[in-house]
Every structure is written in C-alpha cells, then in structure tokens.
C-alpha cells in the first residue's frame, strides 16, 4: 500500500515535467491532476523530430488503432532525445487482468482481478495504492513491447533500408535495430529508494529484510531472490555448527593431510575425520538439503499469495517480443497474433538443442582430459630435464585450460542464446527457463567436473579436501572484493563528484540523470553463485565439514552487498511478476537429489571407512553392495520426507482453491 510519503515523492518527481505536456485522456475515469512518470525511452542523439512525433502518436493511440493506449511526455522540448511514458487507469486495470494478478477484494481476501468486476476491489480508484510501482512500470513496458505494425509502412525520418516496417512486425524491436531507440528503462523514485535503503542495507541488524517494500519497489523477481538468500543464509547455521563440532571437538576433525617421506602420494593421517564423523556429516547433508528445499517451497508459496502472484496467467497475455509464427487467432484468447505449433518447438529442442548442448558438454570433458594428460607430460619432462624452461612449462597446462574454458564458455553462452531464440518460446518465462537450464548445465560441468574427477576417478580425498578448501577460500576473497570493496569504492570515490554536482544543481533534471547509471546485470550471476555454494555444501561437505561455516560468513555480507548494489549503482530493472524462483528452484532440488549419491560414495571411498569395513571382515564386493543399499535407503528416506512435507501450507492451498473457484463463478456470471 502506498503511503502519503509515496504520494509526496510522486509530486516531487513530477515537478521536473510540466503537466500540460502530457497526453490528454478522453476517458473520465482516467483523468488525473498529476501524472506519474514511470518509464523513460532514450532515443539516439541524431533522431529526427518527425520520428519522435510518429513514435509518440503511436504510443498514445488506442488499442483498436494499433497503439499502446499510454500517456507520453516529450521531455523539455520536442527536439530532446527522451520520451517519458506513463499509463492511464483503464490501461493499467486491463493489463492487471491479462497478467492474472490477484488483488484484495471488498472482503479483504485475495482474488484474481477482473476488469468487469473492478468496482468490488479495494483501492481500485487509486492506482498508487492498487498497484505497486514496479507493477505499473512493468505494465508500461509490456504495452510497449506489444506494439506491432498493422500494415507494411515506412518509419518517418529513418533511411529506407532499415526504416521499413513489415506487417505485424514488433515496432520497438525494429526501432532498436534501426538505432532509433537506445534504451527503455523504469525510473527510480528517489525518495522511496532512499527510504528503502535506510530500512534495508543501512540498518545494523544482520537478519531480517523489508521483503514487502522490496517487492513493492523492485518486484517479486528481486524479492524472491533476497528472500531465498536470507532463508538460505540462516539455514546454514545448523550445518555450520555441526561442521565446527566435527572439526574441533571430535578426534581428527581437522582432516590434516600429510605427504609420505619417500613417496609423492597423499594420505590421511590420524587427524582425518573419524568414521562416525563421515557418516554423521553425510547423513546430515542429505536430510538438511531435503528439509531446506521443502521448507523453502512452503515459504515461497506463502510469499506468492501475499504478493498476489499465486495464480498468474501469463499464457493468456500477449506473446513476448521475439516470438514469431503464422498470423492467426489464438484459440484460447481469440486474439489475432503469431501462432507456432508446440510440436515443432519440442522437435527443435529434442533434435537440435539437446544434441548441441551434449556436444559442448563433451568438449568440457575433453578439455579437462587434455589438461590432465598435458600436466602429466610436462611433469615427466621436468623430472627428466630439471631445467628452467621445463619449470616454466609446468604452468602451461593450467594456463591453456583456463583460456580454453573461458573461450568455450563464451561460445556456449552465445550458442545457448541463439538456440533458445530459435526454439521460439511464446512466454517470456518459458524463454528464460530454457535459456537458464542450458547455461546451468554448462556451469555445473565447468565447476564440478574437476571435483568429481578427483573424488571418483583419482579417488584422492585429501586432494579433494585441499581443492575444495582452496576454491571456497579463493571464491570468498574474490566475492568479498567484488560485492563489498569495489561497490564501496565506486560509490564513495568515483561517483562522489557526480553526485555532488547533482546536489549543487537544484534545476538538474533528475529523470535524465538516471541515464548515466549502467543497466542492472540481472540476478543470473547471483543465483549461479548460490547454486555453486549449495553444490559445494551438499555434494562434498562430508570431506570438508567447515564448508558451511565459510559460506555463512560470506552470505552475511552478501545480503547487504547485493542490496547496496541494486539500490545505488545501477538503473532500476524491469521486473515481471513471478510466483516462485522458476527453474532455479528445480536446479536446487536436482542438486539435493545428487547429493545423496555423492555423499554415499564419498563415504565409501574414505580410507578410514574402508579400513573399518575390512577390519570387520567385509569384502570389497560386499562394501559396494552395502553402499548401494545405503544409497537407495537414503533416497527413499529423502522421497518420503519430500512427500510428507506439502509444498504449500494448508491455508495457502485453501486460498488458492478459493481464488480458482471464485474465478470460475465470475466467468460464469460474465457469460450469463
């Protein structure tokens, strides 16, 4: 809900734009004394005035005339290269229904919004209370993305070759390719942003985040990430406590590794983890990962209900801008739009995308194999010659592998994007999920292949412990530098003179000043970091029990660092309403399942466990059979636990079913 302070911030923000230049609306219910600037379209510096006037008229035009039915402001004068966009009440309400958002009904219960039943929803006459700021901005972006040429035409003021619009071609994408539009981004509300910052990253407590305020300002996509980061960080406390106990209180918890005097082989000494320590850590990791994921699902569904995204209907909204196909009537909505058969999409995924992704995964394994082979050759050459030149060559396999991995990573990311575009997904969420899945596969192979090779091929647990510890500590140092030190230096020293100029110049256009900020890079890298952390912890923590301790210390600062960056260092991102973390949640579930097998076989490979079994008269064949039996038992326990814990609380399930029932009743009344 928007407070009086929020209304004051809107009034302050609109002072830089004269109200008389906004689009005049004919609908009586859309008339407002003050228009709220929501989105800024940045045009190229050499855009022609006629092109700008044509684009403004298109954005202002009604839907039946091929427009977006939005409000525009040309900036300070017609020749400036910005267009500020807002939305009238009717456009916002119709888009709310298309997106399937839930809002409070007159009985204070959440219900799927219906435009025909709009008068029965609370605060429907005040858009700043009815919709959050990020929802209003996303609706504007969604309406702009839906602009399509009704017929073949030429863009005024643009050379003929790039300036021809084909029938039903996406207009905004065409203008970006033609160099007319440089960027489209939502505008910050500085007063609300400062208030959020004081409640978020500036306070001294190390727990608790203003999730509702984050969702209201940055959207559910960002809010779900920070909620998950907070939930995951405090879920690390039990495994961190267990790791400290196993390391410092049980005999041999430190896992010290020594090298035999006469040999180069590594072995665990008497300070290695005991048999009971290995077993406790392995079983605990399996149980912890299962409980963590299942409890997070329940928290996620509760947040989704609270934020009105429990029953999203994205498939009923318009297609994403990059979607193409044969023009026809959508059988579900009856709207004229491009259509593409689902079987063709599945055929492309199964016959082209999957084989290509598998081929690139094979190249990752090939690179790792060549690295180990080259390392062995160079070491043998150095032992024979012992020269300075051979000593330098020792570093060549590692350097070559790093270069190879980076080049392959760049190629893979480009191929993954092209493949996902070619698959032609209609909904934006489907596009993002398929692209994320492809990149996740590569990231998993690239980061865990070496550890699995050391653990299960070389069967060298001391080396695995050393490699895992070095990766964790190295990643922590790099992360703290990039997440805390660099943002602090940029904001306090590099950006300080610029901010001082803005404070001194009271007439400076605050809307234009936001163009100097870089675009927000998104949450992909942040989720990848958390997924790698979860992988290190759930897959290999029985080898290095202090993993959770290091991750907990890192994530306490990570929360504040990520909050500081998104508030201070970047433009505000668009955020589509989402009901959960999407494919990321599935990725964490898959890692939790793989952790059962990983921990069982790491337990089997432990020299202490093998020695204990041999002393008990268990043969090697029987040891493997016991390991397989234990693995299947633990998988069964994990599945039973997941089944016993519902994905959503009973009250959320009841609310969701009530929303579905009320929607069916409302639809029946409309038909009558």
């Amino acid at each position: 809900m928007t407070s009086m302070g929020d209304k004051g911030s809107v009034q302050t923000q609109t002072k830089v734009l004269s109200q008389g230049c906004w689009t005049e609306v004919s609908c009586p219910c859309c008339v407002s004394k003050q228009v709220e600037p929501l989105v800024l379209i940045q045009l190229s510096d050499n855009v022609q005035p006629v092109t700008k006037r044509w684009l403004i008229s298109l954005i202002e035009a009604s839907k039946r005339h091929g427009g977006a039915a939005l409000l525009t402001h040309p900036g300070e004068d017609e020749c400036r290269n910005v267009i500020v966009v807002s939305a009238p009440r009717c456009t916002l309400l119709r888009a709310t229904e298309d997106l399937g958002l839930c809002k409070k009904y007159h009985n204070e219960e959440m219900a799927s919004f219906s435009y025909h039943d709009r008068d029965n929803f609370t605060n429907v006459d005040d858009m700043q209370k009815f919709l959050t700021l990020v929802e209003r901005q996303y609706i504007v972006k969604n309406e702009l993305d839906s602009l399509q040429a009704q017929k073949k035409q030429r863009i005024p003021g643009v050379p003929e070759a790039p300036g021809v619009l084909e029938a039903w071609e996406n207009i905004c994408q065409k203008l970006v390719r033609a160099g007319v539009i440089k960027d489209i981004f939502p505008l910050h509300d500085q007063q609300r942003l400062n208030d959020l910052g004081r409640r978020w990253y500036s306070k001294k407590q190390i727990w608790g985040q203003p999730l509702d305020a984050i969702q209201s300002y940055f959207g559910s996509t960002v809010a779900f990430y920070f909620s998950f980061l907070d939930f995951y960080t405090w879920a690390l406390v039990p495994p961190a406590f267990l790791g400290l106990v196993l390391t410092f209180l049980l005999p041999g918890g430190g896992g010290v590794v020594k090298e035999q005097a006469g040999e180069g082989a590594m072995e665990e000494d008497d300070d290695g983890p005991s048999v009971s320590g290995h077993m406790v850590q392995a079983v605990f990791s399996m149980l912890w990962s299962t409980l963590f994921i299942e409890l997070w699902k329940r928290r996620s569904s509760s947040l989704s209900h609270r934020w009105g995204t429990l029953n999203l209907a994205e498939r009923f909204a318009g297609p994403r801008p990059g979607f193409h196909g044969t023009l026809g009537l959508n059988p579900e909505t009856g709207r004229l739009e491009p259509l593409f058969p689902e079987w063709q999409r599945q055929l492309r995924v199964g016959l082209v995308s999957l084989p290509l992704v598998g081929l690139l995964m094979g190249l990752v394994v090939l690179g790792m194999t060549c690295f180990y082979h080259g390392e062995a050759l160079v070491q043998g050459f150095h032992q024979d010659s012992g020269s300075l030149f051979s000593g330098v060559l020792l570093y060549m396999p590692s350097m070559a592998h790093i270069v190879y991995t980076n080049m392959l990573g760049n190629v893979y990311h480009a191929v993954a994007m092209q493949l996902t575009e070619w698959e032609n997904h209609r909904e934006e969420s489907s596009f993002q999920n398929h692209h994320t899945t492809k990149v996740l596969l590569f990231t998993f192979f690239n980061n865990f292949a070496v550890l699995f090779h050391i653990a299960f091929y070389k069967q060298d647990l001391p080396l695995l412990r050393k490699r895992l510890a070095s990766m964790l500590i190295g990643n922590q140092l790099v992360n703290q530098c990039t997440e805390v030190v660099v943002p602090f230096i940029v904001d306090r020293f590099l950006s300080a003179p610029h901010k001082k100029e803005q404070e001194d110049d009271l007439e400076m256009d605050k809307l234009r000043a936001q163009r100097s900020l870089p675009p927000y890079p998104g949450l992909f890298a942040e989720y990848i970091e958390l997924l790698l952390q979860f992988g290190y912890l759930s897959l290999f923590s029985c080898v290095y029990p202090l993993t959770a301790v290091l991750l907990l210390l890192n994530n306490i600062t990570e929360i504040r660092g990520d909050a500081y960056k998104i508030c201070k260092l970047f433009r505000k991102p668009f955020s589509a309403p989402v009901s959960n973390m999407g494919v990321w949640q599935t990725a964490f579930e898959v890692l939790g399942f793989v952790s059962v097998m990983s921990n069982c076989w790491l337990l089997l490979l432990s020299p202490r466990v093998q020695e204990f079994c041999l002393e008990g008269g268990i043969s090697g064949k029987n040891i493997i059979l016991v390991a397989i039996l234990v693995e299947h038992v633990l998988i069964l326990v994990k599945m039973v636990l997941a089944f016993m814990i519902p994905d959503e609380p009973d009250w959320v399930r009841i609310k969701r079913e009530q929303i579905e029932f009320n929607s069916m009743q409302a639809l029946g009344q409309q038909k009558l």
Side-chain angles (χ1 to χ4, degrees), residues 54-186:
W54 172 81
L55 180 57
I56 288 177
S57 64
L58 190 65
I59 296 173
E60 295 175 345
S62 64
K63 290 291 186 70
R64 64 176 180 271
H65 293 107
L70 298 173
L71 308 178
T72 64
H73 191 291
E76 294 180 0
D77 59 68
E78 190 180 28
C79 297
R80 299 289 182 174
N81 60 342
V82 297
I83 300 175
V84 184
V85 186
S86 186
R89 176 177 178 268
C90 287
T91 299
L92 292 173
L93 293 180
R94 293 184 185 277
T96 302
E97 181 181 28
D98 291 340
L99 293 174
L101 294 177
C102 294
K103 295 296 176 181
K104 281 190 176 182
Y105 208 58
H106 61 77
N107 60 0
E108 296 300 315
E109 295 288 342
M110 299 295 287
S112 294
F113 179 75
S114 170
Y115 183 80
H116 297 284
D117 193 30
R118 59 188 180 276
D119 293 333
N120 287 319
F121 286 82
T122 60
N123 298 318
V124 74
D125 293 326
D126 189 344
M127 289 297 99
Q128 294 181 37
K129 292 182 178 180
F130 183 71
L131 293 171
T132 65
L133 173 62
V134 72
E135 288 172 345
R136 300 194 296 273
Q137 291 173 328
Y138 177 75
I139 287 174
V140 170
K141 177 64 162 59
N142 192 55
E143 297 301 320
L144 291 174
D145 286 340
S146 66
L147 284 173
Q148 292 180 324
Q150 302 294 303
K151 59 182 180 179
K152 185 176 181 179
Q153 57 182 296
R154 185 172 177 274
I155 303 174
V158 179
E160 185 170 352
V164 176
L165 268 171
E166 299 293 337
W168 301 104
E169 185 176 6
N170 186 277
I171 293 176
C172 284
Q173 282 193 337
K174 179 67 174 182
L175 293 177
V176 170
R177 291 195 299 268
V180 175
I181 294 179
K182 294 175 64 176
D183 204 356
I184 302 176
F185 58 91

Side-chain angles (χ1 to χ4, degrees), residues 435-482:
H435 177 249
T436 301
T437 301
K438 295 181 181 67
V439 179
L440 276 178
L441 288 173
F442 179 82
T443 303
F444 182 86
F445 265 75
N446 204 30
N447 287 274
F448 293 114
V450 173
L451 296 177
F452 277 108
H453 180 268
I454 295 173
F456 301 112
Y457 182 77
K458 288 189 171 184
Q459 297 186 8
D460 192 342
L461 295 191
L463 178 59
L464 176 63
R465 184 180 301 113
K466 289 180 62 178
R467 180 62 65 90
L468 183 60
S470 62
M471 291 177 67
L472 283 171
I473 295 173
N475 290 342
Q476 303 270 345
L477 294 176
V478 172
N479 181 67
Q480 291 300 311
C481 181
T482 56

Side-chain angles (χ1 to χ4, degrees), residues 346-379:
Q346 293 175 346
L347 206 64
R348 292 183 176 187
V349 173
L351 297 183
V352 179
S353 295
L354 286 180
L356 278 178
V357 169
L359 175 63
L360 291 169
M361 294 299 100
L363 292 178
V364 174
V365 178
L366 177 64
M368 184 183 66
T369 304
C370 292
F371 162 69
Y372 283 116
H373 181 66
E375 189 178 45
L377 290 177
V378 171
Q379 286 178 350

Side-chain angles (χ1 to χ4, degrees), residues 225 229 471-487 525-526 529-530 533 550-551 553-559 561-562 565:
Y225 164 74
L229 176 58
M471 291 177 67
L472 283 171
I473 295 173
N475 290 342
Q476 303 270 345
L477 294 176
V478 172
N479 181 67
Q480 291 300 311
C481 181
T482 56
E483 300 284 351
V484 179
V485 179
V486 172
E526 311 297 343
E529 181 184 345
L530 293 183
Q533 287 187 11
L550 296 176
L551 297 181
L553 295 175
N554 174 82
N555 287 3
I556 290 175
T557 58
E558 175 91 7
I559 295 175
D562 287 349
K565 287 192 304 181

